[in-house]
């Protein structure tokens, strides 16, 4: 993994190579941003949105935290609530993608909260927004090995966060007006593949096979269909 000194060398190449070659784009971006997509994903270092989606500066408005958590609306002081509100009302994004990932450390912590609470009290407190996930995963996979239950919890967590997202008034109103579509995806660290949730079938399908079908507005979702 790169050291800070190596990352600074990368920045120097960015200044001498990328910036001169993209002067028009940078000048355009200086006048404002109009991203169409808010991507809510995990802080995990293995998720590189610009690489995965081959995007340019200005394409993605990104909200990241450990576990791609969206606290349910209520506490207006959270970074998540303010960022989501700005994306929807200020930037008027057309899509919100909640993208979880396999091997997510936050979801693993979620499945063993009591064991990690003493060491990571803040993380555990904040993961309460996903407190339903372990029980839901267990219901669906009570008799499967722990690793499979962990994988299922990653998927389940994406649906729970979509559910939480719809408690935010700005999101619910824009979805109801048909101006905003929600999507639930899971990125596979092992292969780079993305699976997308299909509301009509209650399944996650490979993104390239999945119709770009927004999650419907009725909620709570039938999480048992996973
Ligand atoms: Zn993660």
């Amino acid at each position: 993994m790169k050291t800070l000194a190596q990352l600074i060398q990368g920045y120097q190449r960015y200044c001498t190579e990328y910036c001169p070659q993209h002067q028009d784009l940078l000048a355009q971006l200086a006048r404002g941003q109009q991203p169409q997509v808010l991507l809510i994903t995990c802080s995990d270092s293995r998720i590189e949105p610009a690489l995965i989606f081959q995007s340019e500066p200005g394409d993605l408005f990104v909200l990241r935290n450990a576990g791609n958590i969206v606290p349910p609306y209520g506490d207006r002081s959270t970074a998540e609530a303010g960022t989501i509100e700005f994306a929807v009302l200020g930037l008027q994004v057309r899509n919100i993608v909640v993208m979880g990932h396999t091997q997510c450390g936050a979801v693993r912590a979620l499945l063993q909260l009591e064991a990690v609470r003493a060491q990571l009290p803040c993380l555990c407190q904040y993961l309460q927004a996903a407190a339903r996930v372990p029980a839901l995963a267990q219901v669906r996979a009570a008799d499967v090995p722990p690793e499979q239950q962990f994988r299922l919890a990653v998927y389940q967590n994406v649906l729970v966060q979509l559910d939480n997202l719809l408690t935010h008034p700005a999101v619910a109103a824009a979805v109801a007006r048909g101006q905003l579509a929600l999507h639930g995806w899971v990125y596979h660290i092992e292969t780079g593949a993305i699976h997308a949730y299909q509301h009509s079938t209650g399944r996650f399908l490979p993104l390239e096979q999945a119709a770009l079908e927004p999650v419907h507005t009725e909620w709570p979702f039938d999480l048992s269909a996973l």
Side-chain angles (χ1 to χ4, degrees):
M1 300 301 129
K2 287 190 169 67
T3 62
L4 181 60
Q6 289 170 319
L7 291 173
I8 292 171
Q9 286 173 7
Y11 163 69
Q12 286 163 346
R13 282 197 302 280
Y14 170 76
C15 289
T16 56
E17 295 173 19
Y18 182 91
C19 292
Q21 290 165 12
H22 295 83
Q23 280 178 349
D24 291 348
L25 174 62
L26 295 177
Q28 179 194 330
L29 292 175
R31 292 192 288 273
Q33 58 170 336
Q34 291 180 303
Q36 293 200 12
V37 178
L38 164 62
L39 175 67
I40 301 175
T41 193
C42 186
S43 300
D44 195 296
S45 64
R46 298 165 294 182
I47 309 287
E48 195 55 80
L51 184 63
I52 294 170
F53 299 109
Q54 301 285 290
S55 57
E56 296 290 339
D59 288 335
L60 290 174
F61 195 71
V62 182
L63 172 59
R64 300 185 76 157
N65 59 40
N68 37 270
I69 300 295
V70 178
Y73 189 74
D75 181 357
R76 295 182 181 179
S77 70
T78 67
E80 291 82 9
T83 304
I84 290 164
E85 184 180 76
F86 177 64
V88 173
L89 298 182
L91 298 174
Q92 298 178 325
V93 295
R94 308 303 304 269
N95 298 276
I96 300 179
V97 177
V98 176
M99 189 173 83
H101 68 98
T102 58
Q103 307 300 331
C104 182
V107 173
R108 196 183 285 281
L110 194 56
L111 296 178
Q112 45 189 351
L113 277 184
E114 293 319 310
V116 295
R117 193 179 295 280
Q119 189 192 358
L120 302 168
C122 296
L123 179 71
C124 289
Q125 177 73 29
Y126 142 91
L127 286 175
Q128 292 301 323
R132 285 185 294 156
V133 171
L136 290 166
Q138 209 165 19
V139 165
R140 295 293 300 159
D143 51 355
V144 302
E147 275 309 299
Q148 205 171 327
Q149 227 178 76
F150 173 35
R151 204 172 178 82
L152 186 66
V154 164
Y155 282 74
Q156 200 83 71
N157 182 46
V158 167
L159 298 185
V160 167
Q161 303 316 320
L162 284 171
D163 202 3
N164 289 348
L165 201 48
L166 277 167
T167 65
H168 290 249
V171 173
V175 168
R177 286 195 303 268
Q179 294 171 346
L180 177 67
L182 308 185
H183 308 273
W185 296 356
V186 171
Y187 175 75
H188 292 238
I189 297 279
E190 307 84 352
T191 61
I194 291 175
H195 285 184
Y197 181 68
Q198 297 286 283
H199 194 276
S200 56
T201 61
R203 292 182 165 279
F204 279 86
L205 299 173
L207 186 55
E208 53 274 28
Q209 292 172 23
L212 198 58
E213 175 192 281
V215 172
H216 292 189
T217 53
E218 73 264 25
W219 57 281
F221 301 117
D222 179 9
L223 295 173
S224 64
L226 184 67

